[in-house]
Amino acid sequence: MLYEFTEPFRFPFEVNDVRTEIAIDNPDSLQQYVFHYKNKQTKQEINYILSKVIDKPEEISKQGKQLVKLKNGEQAYYEEDETSQLIWWDGENGFLARFVYYINGNREQLGSNKLAQSDLIDLINQVQQ
C-alpha cells in the first residue's frame, strides 16, 4: 500500500490544524486515507477522503448530485445539505475521491459559512495530477 497523494495547499479559510488518518479496518478489501484540514477557532473543516475497494471499483452515485466540469475536462459531482458540502470525482489509481466541508463536526448549519462551489473545485484542481 504505497501511494503518493498530492494535498491541497490553498484553502478557502485559514487552516491551523492538519492531521491524516489511514483506515486499516480491512486492508484486504478497503483502503481509505483521510486528510483533515481544520480551523480550531471557527471549527470549519475540510476532509479530503480517498477510498478504494479492492477487486471492485467504487462508483459515484450520481443521484441527487450536480455535474460540474473540472479544469482538466474531467467530471465531478457536487451535493450539499444544511450542514455539509461535498464534491466527488474519480481519483488516481482507482481511488474514489471527495472533499467534504462542514462546521463543528457536521453538527452546525453552514449558514453564511457556506463555500462557493468554485472553492471546492479549486481544491480538486490543486490535487489532480
Side-chain angles (χ1 to χ4, degrees):
M1 294 190 325
L2 181 60
Y3 298 102
E4 288 187 32
F5 299 113
T6 302
E7 293 185 63
F9 55 87
R10 183 178 54 249
F11 295 89
F13 56 86
E14 180 185 349
V15 171
N16 54 23
D17 183 26
V18 177
R19 65 186 171 87
T20 303
E21 88 187 67
I22 301 171
I24 53 172
D25 297 342
N26 193 345
D28 294 329
S29 63
L30 173 68
Q31 296 177 9
Q32 184 163 280
Y33 303 86
V34 183
F35 301 87
H36 301 266
Y37 309 98
K38 184 176 183 177
N39 182 302
K40 291 181 182 180
Q41 290 72 33
T42 64
K43 296 185 169 67
Q44 290 173 283
E45 185 168 350
I46 290 178
N47 291 340
Y48 176 29
I49 304 169
L50 297 139
S51 59
K52 180 182 201 178
V53 176
I54 308 303
D55 296 330
K56 181 183 167 200
E58 280 188 277
E59 290 188 23
I60 299 170
S61 169
K62 297 170 177 80
Q63 186 173 352
K65 296 177 182 70
Q66 177 186 355
L67 176 67
V68 293
K69 288 279 190 186
L70 303 174
K71 184 170 62 174
N72 66 359
E74 297 288 325
Q75 297 177 340
Y77 299 89
Y78 173 82
E79 67 178 316
E80 67 178 65
D81 59 31
E82 293 179 349
T83 61
S84 65
Q85 293 173 274
L86 295 92
I87 194 159
W88 305 72
W89 73 99
D90 290 320
E92 303 287 322
N93 298 314
F95 280 89
L96 181 61
R98 63 195 174 274
F99 279 109
V100 182
Y101 169 70
Y102 56 86
I103 299 172
N104 196 20
N106 205 16
R107 293 187 295 265
E108 291 184 22
Q109 291 189 2
L110 296 177
S112 63
N113 290 311
K114 184 176 167 183
L115 298 178
Q117 198 178 88
S118 60
D119 289 333
L120 294 168
I121 292 170
D122 180 57
L123 290 167
I124 295 174
N125 290 332
Q126 292 177 56
V127 301
Q128 285 192 328
Q129 310 255 338

CSV table of all heavy atoms in Angstrom, one decimal, residues 34-85:
chain,number,residue,atom,x,y,z
A,34,VAL,N,-7.7,9.6,4.9
A,34,VAL,CA,-8.5,10.8,5.2
A,34,VAL,C,-7.5,11.9,5.7
A,34,VAL,O,-6.8,11.7,6.7
A,34,VAL,CB,-9.6,10.6,6.3
A,34,VAL,CG1,-10.4,11.8,6.5
A,34,VAL,CG2,-10.4,9.4,5.9
A,35,PHE,N,-7.5,13.0,5.0
A,35,PHE,CA,-6.7,14.2,5.3
A,35,PHE,C,-7.7,15.2,5.9
A,35,PHE,O,-8.6,15.6,5.3
A,35,PHE,CB,-6.0,14.8,4.1
A,35,PHE,CG,-5.1,13.8,3.4
A,35,PHE,CD1,-5.6,12.9,2.5
A,35,PHE,CD2,-3.7,13.7,3.7
A,35,PHE,CE1,-4.7,12.0,1.8
A,35,PHE,CE2,-2.9,12.8,3.1
A,35,PHE,CZ,-3.4,11.9,2.2
A,36,HIS,N,-7.4,15.7,7.1
A,36,HIS,CA,-8.2,16.6,7.8
A,36,HIS,C,-7.6,18.0,7.8
A,36,HIS,O,-6.4,18.1,8.3
A,36,HIS,CB,-8.5,16.2,9.3
A,36,HIS,CG,-9.1,14.9,9.4
A,36,HIS,ND1,-10.5,14.7,9.5
A,36,HIS,CD2,-8.6,13.6,9.5
A,36,HIS,CE1,-10.8,13.4,9.7
A,36,HIS,NE2,-9.6,12.7,9.6
A,37,TYR,N,-8.3,19.0,7.4
A,37,TYR,CA,-7.8,20.4,7.5
A,37,TYR,C,-8.8,21.2,8.2
A,37,TYR,O,-10.0,21.4,7.8
A,37,TYR,CB,-7.6,21.0,6.0
A,37,TYR,CG,-6.8,20.0,5.1
A,37,TYR,CD1,-7.5,19.1,4.3
A,37,TYR,CD2,-5.4,20.0,5.2
A,37,TYR,CE1,-6.7,18.3,3.5
A,37,TYR,CE2,-4.7,19.1,4.4
A,37,TYR,CZ,-5.4,18.3,3.5
A,37,TYR,OH,-4.7,17.4,2.8
A,38,LYS,N,-8.4,21.8,9.3
A,38,LYS,CA,-9.4,22.4,10.2
A,38,LYS,C,-8.9,23.8,10.7
A,38,LYS,O,-7.7,24.0,10.9
A,38,LYS,CB,-9.6,21.5,11.4
A,38,LYS,CG,-10.6,22.0,12.4
A,38,LYS,CD,-10.8,20.9,13.5
A,38,LYS,CE,-11.9,21.3,14.4
A,38,LYS,NZ,-12.2,20.3,15.4
A,39,ASN,N,-9.8,24.7,11.0
A,39,ASN,CA,-9.6,25.9,11.8
A,39,ASN,C,-10.1,25.7,13.2
A,39,ASN,O,-11.3,25.5,13.3
A,39,ASN,CB,-10.2,27.1,11.1
A,39,ASN,CG,-9.9,28.4,11.8
A,39,ASN,OD1,-10.2,28.5,13.0
A,39,ASN,ND2,-9.3,29.3,11.1
A,40,LYS,N,-9.3,25.7,14.2
A,40,LYS,CA,-9.7,25.4,15.5
A,40,LYS,C,-10.7,26.4,16.1
A,40,LYS,O,-11.5,26.1,16.9
A,40,LYS,CB,-8.5,25.2,16.5
A,40,LYS,CG,-7.6,24.0,16.2
A,40,LYS,CD,-6.5,24.0,17.2
A,40,LYS,CE,-5.6,22.8,16.9
A,40,LYS,NZ,-4.4,22.8,17.9
A,41,GLN,N,-10.5,27.7,15.7
A,41,GLN,CA,-11.3,28.7,16.2
A,41,GLN,C,-12.7,28.7,15.6
A,41,GLN,O,-13.7,28.8,16.3
A,41,GLN,CB,-10.7,30.1,16.0
A,41,GLN,CG,-9.4,30.3,16.9
A,41,GLN,CD,-8.2,29.5,16.4
A,41,GLN,OE1,-8.0,29.3,15.3
A,41,GLN,NE2,-7.4,29.1,17.4
A,42,THR,N,-12.8,28.7,14.3
A,42,THR,CA,-14.1,28.7,13.6
A,42,THR,C,-14.8,27.4,13.5
A,42,THR,O,-15.9,27.3,13.1
A,42,THR,CB,-13.9,29.3,12.2
A,42,THR,OG1,-13.1,28.4,11.4
A,42,THR,CG2,-13.3,30.7,12.2
A,43,LYS,N,-14.0,26.3,13.8
A,43,LYS,CA,-14.4,24.9,13.7
A,43,LYS,C,-14.8,24.5,12.3
A,43,LYS,O,-15.5,23.5,12.0
A,43,LYS,CB,-15.6,24.7,14.6
A,43,LYS,CG,-15.2,24.8,16.1
A,43,LYS,CD,-16.3,24.5,17.0
A,43,LYS,CE,-15.9,24.3,18.4
A,43,LYS,NZ,-15.5,25.3,19.2
A,44,GLN,N,-14.4,25.3,11.2
A,44,GLN,CA,-14.6,24.9,9.9
A,44,GLN,C,-13.6,23.7,9.6
A,44,GLN,O,-12.4,23.8,10.0
A,44,GLN,CB,-14.3,26.0,8.9
A,44,GLN,CG,-15.3,27.1,9.0
A,44,GLN,CD,-14.9,28.3,8.2
A,44,GLN,OE1,-14.0,29.1,8.6
A,44,GLN,NE2,-15.5,28.5,7.0
A,45,GLU,N,-14.0,22.8,8.8
A,45,GLU,CA,-13.2,21.6,8.5
A,45,GLU,C,-13.5,21.1,7.1
A,45,GLU,O,-14.6,21.1,6.6
A,45,GLU,CB,-13.4,20.5,9.5
A,45,GLU,CG,-12.4,19.4,9.2
A,45,GLU,CD,-12.4,18.4,10.4
A,45,GLU,OE1,-12.9,18.6,11.4
A,45,GLU,OE2,-11.7,17.3,10.2
A,46,ILE,N,-12.4,20.8,6.4
A,46,ILE,CA,-12.5,20.1,5.1
A,46,ILE,C,-11.7,18.8,5.2
A,46,ILE,O,-10.6,18.7,5.7
A,46,ILE,CB,-11.8,20.9,4.0
A,46,ILE,CG1,-12.7,22.2,3.7
A,46,ILE,CG2,-11.6,20.1,2.7
A,46,ILE,CD1,-12.1,23.1,2.6
A,47,ASN,N,-12.4,17.7,4.8
A,47,ASN,CA,-11.8,16.4,4.8
A,47,ASN,C,-11.5,16.0,3.3
A,47,ASN,O,-12.5,16.2,2.5
A,47,ASN,CB,-12.6,15.3,5.4
A,47,ASN,CG,-12.7,15.5,6.9
A,47,ASN,OD1,-11.9,16.2,7.5
A,47,ASN,ND2,-13.7,14.9,7.5
A,48,TYR,N,-10.3,15.6,3.0
A,48,TYR,CA,-10.0,15.0,1.7
A,48,TYR,C,-10.0,13.5,1.9
A,48,TYR,O,-9.1,13.0,2.6
A,48,TYR,CB,-8.7,15.6,1.3
A,48,TYR,CG,-8.1,15.1,0.0
A,48,TYR,CD1,-8.9,14.6,-1.1
A,48,TYR,CD2,-6.7,15.1,-0.2
A,48,TYR,CE1,-8.4,14.2,-2.3
A,48,TYR,CE2,-6.2,14.7,-1.4
A,48,TYR,CZ,-7.0,14.2,-2.4
A,48,TYR,OH,-6.4,13.8,-3.6
A,49,ILE,N,-10.9,12.8,1.3
A,49,ILE,CA,-11.1,11.4,1.5
A,49,ILE,C,-10.8,10.6,0.2
A,49,ILE,O,-11.4,10.9,-0.8
A,49,ILE,CB,-12.5,11.0,2.1
A,49,ILE,CG1,-12.7,11.8,3.3
A,49,ILE,CG2,-12.6,9.5,2.3
A,49,ILE,CD1,-14.2,11.8,3.8
A,50,LEU,N,-9.9,9.6,0.3
A,50,LEU,CA,-9.6,8.8,-0.9
A,50,LEU,C,-9.9,7.4,-0.4
A,50,LEU,O,-9.3,6.9,0.6
A,50,LEU,CB,-8.1,8.9,-1.3
A,50,LEU,CG,-7.8,10.3,-1.7
A,50,LEU,CD1,-6.5,10.8,-1.2
A,50,LEU,CD2,-7.8,10.4,-3.2
A,51,SER,N,-10.8,6.7,-1.1
A,51,SER,CA,-11.1,5.3,-0.8
A,51,SER,C,-11.1,4.4,-2.0
A,51,SER,O,-11.4,4.8,-3.1
A,51,SER,CB,-12.5,5.2,-0.1
A,51,SER,OG,-13.5,5.7,-0.9
A,52,LYS,N,-10.7,3.2,-1.7
A,52,LYS,CA,-10.6,2.2,-2.8
A,52,LYS,C,-11.1,0.8,-2.3
A,52,LYS,O,-10.5,0.3,-1.3
A,52,LYS,CB,-9.2,2.1,-3.3
A,52,LYS,CG,-8.9,1.2,-4.4
A,52,LYS,CD,-7.4,1.2,-4.7
A,52,LYS,CE,-7.0,0.7,-6.0
A,52,LYS,NZ,-5.6,0.8,-6.3
A,53,VAL,N,-12.1,0.3,-3.0
A,53,VAL,CA,-12.5,-1.1,-2.7
A,53,VAL,C,-11.7,-2.0,-3.5
A,53,VAL,O,-11.7,-1.9,-4.8
A,53,VAL,CB,-14.0,-1.3,-2.9
A,53,VAL,CG1,-14.4,-2.7,-2.7
A,53,VAL,CG2,-14.8,-0.3,-2.0
A,54,ILE,N,-10.9,-2.9,-2.9
A,54,ILE,CA,-10.1,-3.8,-3.6
A,54,ILE,C,-10.9,-4.8,-4.5
A,54,ILE,O,-11.9,-5.4,-4.0
A,54,ILE,CB,-9.1,-4.6,-2.7
A,54,ILE,CG1,-8.4,-3.6,-1.7
A,54,ILE,CG2,-8.1,-5.5,-3.4
A,54,ILE,CD1,-7.6,-2.5,-2.4
A,55,ASP,N,-10.5,-5.1,-5.7
A,55,ASP,CA,-11.1,-6.0,-6.6
A,55,ASP,C,-12.5,-5.6,-7.0
A,55,ASP,O,-13.2,-6.4,-7.7
A,55,ASP,CB,-11.2,-7.4,-6.0
A,55,ASP,CG,-9.8,-8.0,-5.8
A,55,ASP,OD1,-8.9,-7.6,-6.6
A,55,ASP,OD2,-9.6,-8.8,-4.8
A,56,LYS,N,-13.0,-4.4,-6.7
A,56,LYS,CA,-14.3,-4.0,-7.1
A,56,LYS,C,-14.3,-2.4,-7.1
A,56,LYS,O,-14.4,-1.8,-6.1
A,56,LYS,CB,-15.4,-4.5,-6.2
A,56,LYS,CG,-16.8,-4.1,-6.6
A,56,LYS,CD,-17.8,-4.6,-5.5
A,56,LYS,CE,-19.1,-3.9,-5.8
A,56,LYS,NZ,-20.0,-3.9,-4.6
A,57,PRO,N,-14.1,-1.8,-8.3
A,57,PRO,CA,-14.1,-0.4,-8.3
A,57,PRO,C,-15.4,0.3,-7.8
A,57,PRO,O,-16.5,-0.2,-8.1
A,57,PRO,CB,-13.9,0.0,-9.8
A,57,PRO,CG,-13.6,-1.3,-10.5
A,57,PRO,CD,-14.0,-2.4,-9.6
A,58,GLU,N,-15.2,1.3,-6.9
A,58,GLU,CA,-16.3,2.1,-6.4
A,58,GLU,C,-16.8,3.0,-7.5
A,58,GLU,O,-16.0,3.5,-8.3
A,58,GLU,CB,-15.9,2.9,-5.2
A,58,GLU,CG,-15.9,2.2,-3.9
A,58,GLU,CD,-15.7,3.1,-2.8
A,58,GLU,OE1,-14.5,3.5,-2.5
A,58,GLU,OE2,-16.7,3.5,-2.1
A,59,GLU,N,-18.1,3.2,-7.5
A,59,GLU,CA,-18.7,4.2,-8.5
A,59,GLU,C,-19.4,5.3,-7.7
A,59,GLU,O,-20.0,5.0,-6.7
A,59,GLU,CB,-19.6,3.5,-9.4
A,59,GLU,CG,-18.9,2.5,-10.4
A,59,GLU,CD,-19.9,2.0,-11.5
A,59,GLU,OE1,-20.9,2.6,-11.7
A,59,GLU,OE2,-19.5,0.9,-12.0
A,60,ILE,N,-19.3,6.5,-8.3
A,60,ILE,CA,-20.0,7.6,-7.7
A,60,ILE,C,-21.5,7.5,-8.0
A,60,ILE,O,-21.9,7.3,-9.1
A,60,ILE,CB,-19.5,8.9,-8.3
A,60,ILE,CG1,-18.0,9.1,-8.0
A,60,ILE,CG2,-20.3,10.1,-7.8
A,60,ILE,CD1,-17.4,10.2,-8.8
A,61,SER,N,-22.3,7.6,-6.9
A,61,SER,CA,-23.7,7.6,-7.1
A,61,SER,C,-24.1,9.0,-7.6
A,61,SER,O,-23.8,10.0,-6.9
A,61,SER,CB,-24.4,7.4,-5.8
A,61,SER,OG,-25.8,7.7,-5.9
A,62,LYS,N,-24.6,9.1,-8.8
A,62,LYS,CA,-24.9,10.4,-9.4
A,62,LYS,C,-26.2,11.0,-8.9
A,62,LYS,O,-26.5,12.1,-9.2
A,62,LYS,CB,-24.8,10.3,-10.9
A,62,LYS,CG,-23.4,9.9,-11.3
A,62,LYS,CD,-23.4,9.6,-12.8
A,62,LYS,CE,-22.0,9.2,-13.3
A,62,LYS,NZ,-21.5,7.9,-13.0
A,63,GLN,N,-27.0,10.2,-8.3
A,63,GLN,CA,-28.4,10.6,-7.9
A,63,GLN,C,-28.3,11.7,-6.9
A,63,GLN,O,-27.6,11.7,-5.9
A,63,GLN,CB,-29.1,9.4,-7.3
A,63,GLN,CG,-30.6,9.7,-7.0
A,63,GLN,CD,-31.3,8.5,-6.5
A,63,GLN,OE1,-30.8,7.4,-6.6
A,63,GLN,NE2,-32.6,8.7,-6.1
A,64,GLY,N,-29.0,12.8,-7.2
A,64,GLY,CA,-29.0,14.0,-6.2
A,64,GLY,C,-27.8,14.9,-6.3
A,64,GLY,O,-27.7,15.8,-5.5
A,65,LYS,N,-26.9,14.6,-7.2
A,65,LYS,CA,-25.7,15.4,-7.3
A,65,LYS,C,-25.7,16.2,-8.6
A,65,LYS,O,-26.2,15.8,-9.6
A,65,LYS,CB,-24.5,14.5,-7.3
A,65,LYS,CG,-24.3,13.8,-5.9
A,65,LYS,CD,-23.1,12.8,-6.0
A,65,LYS,CE,-23.0,12.0,-4.7
A,65,LYS,NZ,-24.0,11.0,-4.5
A,66,GLN,N,-25.1,17.4,-8.5
A,66,GLN,CA,-25.0,18.3,-9.7
A,66,GLN,C,-23.6,18.0,-10.4
A,66,GLN,O,-22.6,18.0,-9.8
A,66,GLN,CB,-25.0,19.7,-9.2
A,66,GLN,CG,-24.8,20.7,-10.3
A,66,GLN,CD,-24.7,22.1,-9.8
A,66,GLN,OE1,-24.9,22.4,-8.6
A,66,GLN,NE2,-24.4,23.1,-10.7
A,67,LEU,N,-23.7,17.8,-11.7
A,67,LEU,CA,-22.5,17.5,-12.5
A,67,LEU,C,-21.7,18.9,-12.7
A,67,LEU,O,-22.3,19.9,-13.1
A,67,LEU,CB,-22.9,17.0,-13.9
A,67,LEU,CG,-21.8,16.7,-14.9
A,67,LEU,CD1,-20.8,15.7,-14.4
A,67,LEU,CD2,-22.4,16.4,-16.2
A,68,VAL,N,-20.4,18.8,-12.5
A,68,VAL,CA,-19.6,20.0,-12.7
A,68,VAL,C,-18.3,19.6,-13.5
A,68,VAL,O,-17.9,18.4,-13.4
A,68,VAL,CB,-19.1,20.7,-11.4
A,68,VAL,CG1,-20.3,21.4,-10.7
A,68,VAL,CG2,-18.4,19.8,-10.5
A,69,LYS,N,-17.9,20.4,-14.4
A,69,LYS,CA,-16.7,20.2,-15.2
A,69,LYS,C,-15.4,20.7,-14.5
A,69,LYS,O,-15.5,21.8,-14.0
A,69,LYS,CB,-16.8,20.8,-16.6
A,69,LYS,CG,-17.8,20.1,-17.5
A,69,LYS,CD,-17.2,18.9,-18.1
A,69,LYS,CE,-18.1,18.4,-19.2
A,69,LYS,NZ,-17.7,17.1,-19.7
A,70,LEU,N,-14.4,20.0,-14.5
A,70,LEU,CA,-13.1,20.4,-13.9
A,70,LEU,C,-12.2,21.0,-15.0
A,70,LEU,O,-12.4,20.9,-16.2
A,70,LEU,CB,-12.4,19.2,-13.2
A,70,LEU,CG,-13.3,18.5,-12.1
A,70,LEU,CD1,-12.5,17.3,-11.6
A,70,LEU,CD2,-13.6,19.5,-11.0
A,71,LYS,N,-11.1,21.7,-14.5
A,71,LYS,CA,-10.2,22.3,-15.4
A,71,LYS,C,-9.6,21.4,-16.4
A,71,LYS,O,-9.4,21.7,-17.6
A,71,LYS,CB,-9.1,23.0,-14.6
A,71,LYS,CG,-8.1,23.8,-15.4
A,71,LYS,CD,-7.2,24.6,-14.5
A,71,LYS,CE,-6.3,23.8,-13.6
A,71,LYS,NZ,-5.4,24.5,-12.8
A,72,ASN,N,-9.4,20.1,-16.0
A,72,ASN,CA,-8.7,19.2,-16.9
A,72,ASN,C,-9.8,18.4,-17.8
A,72,ASN,O,-9.4,17.5,-18.5
A,72,ASN,CB,-7.9,18.1,-16.1
A,72,ASN,CG,-8.8,17.3,-15.2
A,72,ASN,OD1,-10.0,17.4,-15.2
A,72,ASN,ND2,-8.1,16.4,-14.5
A,73,GLY,N,-11.0,18.9,-17.8
A,73,GLY,CA,-12.1,18.3,-18.6
A,73,GLY,C,-12.8,17.1,-17.9
A,73,GLY,O,-13.8,16.6,-18.4
A,74,GLU,N,-12.3,16.6,-16.8
A,74,GLU,CA,-13.0,15.5,-16.1
A,74,GLU,C,-14.2,16.0,-15.4
A,74,GLU,O,-14.5,17.2,-15.3
A,74,GLU,CB,-12.0,15.0,-15.0
A,74,GLU,CG,-10.8,14.3,-15.6
A,74,GLU,CD,-11.0,13.0,-16.2
A,74,GLU,OE1,-11.9,12.3,-15.8
A,74,GLU,OE2,-10.3,12.7,-17.3
A,75,GLN,N,-15.0,15.1,-14.9
A,75,GLN,CA,-16.3,15.5,-14.3
A,75,GLN,C,-16.2,15.2,-12.8
A,75,GLN,O,-15.5,14.3,-12.3
A,75,GLN,CB,-17.4,14.6,-14.8
A,75,GLN,CG,-17.7,14.8,-16.3
A,75,GLN,CD,-18.8,13.9,-16.8
A,75,GLN,OE1,-19.1,12.9,-16.2
A,75,GLN,NE2,-19.4,14.3,-17.9
A,76,ALA,N,-16.9,16.1,-12.0
A,76,ALA,CA,-17.1,15.9,-10.6
A,76,ALA,C,-18.6,16.0,-10.3
A,76,ALA,O,-19.4,16.5,-11.1
A,76,ALA,CB,-16.3,16.9,-9.9
A,77,TYR,N,-18.9,15.6,-9.1
A,77,TYR,CA,-20.3,15.6,-8.7
A,77,TYR,C,-20.5,16.3,-7.4
A,77,TYR,O,-19.8,15.9,-6.4
A,77,TYR,CB,-20.9,14.2,-8.7
A,77,TYR,CG,-20.8,13.6,-10.0
A,77,TYR,CD1,-19.7,12.9,-10.4
A,77,TYR,CD2,-21.9,13.7,-10.9
A,77,TYR,CE1,-19.6,12.3,-11.7
A,77,TYR,CE2,-21.8,13.1,-12.2
A,77,TYR,CZ,-20.7,12.4,-12.5
A,77,TYR,OH,-20.6,11.9,-13.8
A,78,TYR,N,-21.3,17.4,-7.3
A,78,TYR,CA,-21.4,18.2,-6.2
A,78,TYR,C,-22.8,18.0,-5.5
A,78,TYR,O,-23.8,17.8,-6.2
A,78,TYR,CB,-21.4,19.7,-6.6
A,78,TYR,CG,-21.7,20.7,-5.5
A,78,TYR,CD1,-20.7,21.1,-4.6
A,78,TYR,CD2,-22.9,21.3,-5.4
A,78,TYR,CE1,-21.0,22.0,-3.6
A,78,TYR,CE2,-23.2,22.2,-4.4
A,78,TYR,CZ,-22.2,22.5,-3.5
A,78,TYR,OH,-22.5,23.4,-2.5
A,79,GLU,N,-22.8,18.0,-4.2
A,79,GLU,CA,-24.0,17.9,-3.4
A,79,GLU,C,-23.9,18.7,-2.1
A,79,GLU,O,-22.8,18.9,-1.6
A,79,GLU,CB,-24.5,16.5,-3.2
A,79,GLU,CG,-23.6,15.7,-2.2
A,79,GLU,CD,-24.1,14.3,-1.9
A,79,GLU,OE1,-25.3,14.1,-1.7
A,79,GLU,OE2,-23.2,13.4,-2.0
A,80,GLU,N,-25.0,19.1,-1.6
A,80,GLU,CA,-25.0,19.9,-0.3
A,80,GLU,C,-26.3,19.6,0.4
A,80,GLU,O,-27.3,19.3,-0.1
A,80,GLU,CB,-24.8,21.4,-0.6
A,80,GLU,CG,-25.9,22.1,-1.2
A,80,GLU,CD,-25.7,23.6,-1.4
A,80,GLU,OE1,-24.8,24.0,-2.1
A,80,GLU,OE2,-26.5,24.3,-0.8
A,81,ASP,N,-26.2,19.9,1.7
A,81,ASP,CA,-27.4,19.9,2.6
A,81,ASP,C,-27.1,21.1,3.6
A,81,ASP,O,-26.2,21.9,3.4
A,81,ASP,CB,-27.7,18.6,3.2
A,81,ASP,CG,-26.5,18.1,4.1
A,81,ASP,OD1,-25.8,18.9,4.7
A,81,ASP,OD2,-26.4,16.8,4.3
A,82,GLU,N,-27.9,21.1,4.6
A,82,GLU,CA,-27.8,22.3,5.5
A,82,GLU,C,-26.5,22.3,6.3
A,82,GLU,O,-26.0,23.3,6.8
A,82,GLU,CB,-29.0,22.3,6.5
A,82,GLU,CG,-30.3,22.6,5.8
A,82,GLU,CD,-31.5,22.6,6.8
A,82,GLU,OE1,-31.3,22.1,7.9
A,82,GLU,OE2,-32.5,23.0,6.4
A,83,THR,N,-25.9,21.1,6.5
A,83,THR,CA,-24.7,21.0,7.4
A,83,THR,C,-23.4,20.7,6.6
A,83,THR,O,-22.3,20.7,7.2
A,83,THR,CB,-24.9,20.0,8.5
A,83,THR,OG1,-25.1,18.7,7.9
A,83,THR,CG2,-26.0,20.4,9.4
A,84,SER,N,-23.5,20.3,5.3
A,84,SER,CA,-22.2,20.0,4.7
A,84,SER,C,-22.3,20.2,3.2
A,84,SER,O,-23.4,20.3,2.6
A,84,SER,CB,-21.9,18.5,4.9
A,84,SER,OG,-22.9,17.7,4.4
A,85,GLN,N,-21.1,20.3,2.6
A,85,GLN,CA,-21.0,20.4,1.1
A,85,GLN,C,-20.0,19.3,0.7
A,85,GLN,O,-19.0,19.1,1.4
A,85,GLN,CB,-20.5,21.7,0.7
A,85,GLN,CG,-21.4,22.9,0.9
A,85,GLN,CD,-20.8,24.2,0.6
A,85,GLN,OE1,-20.1,24.8,1.5
A,85,GLN,NE2,-21.0,24.7,-0.6
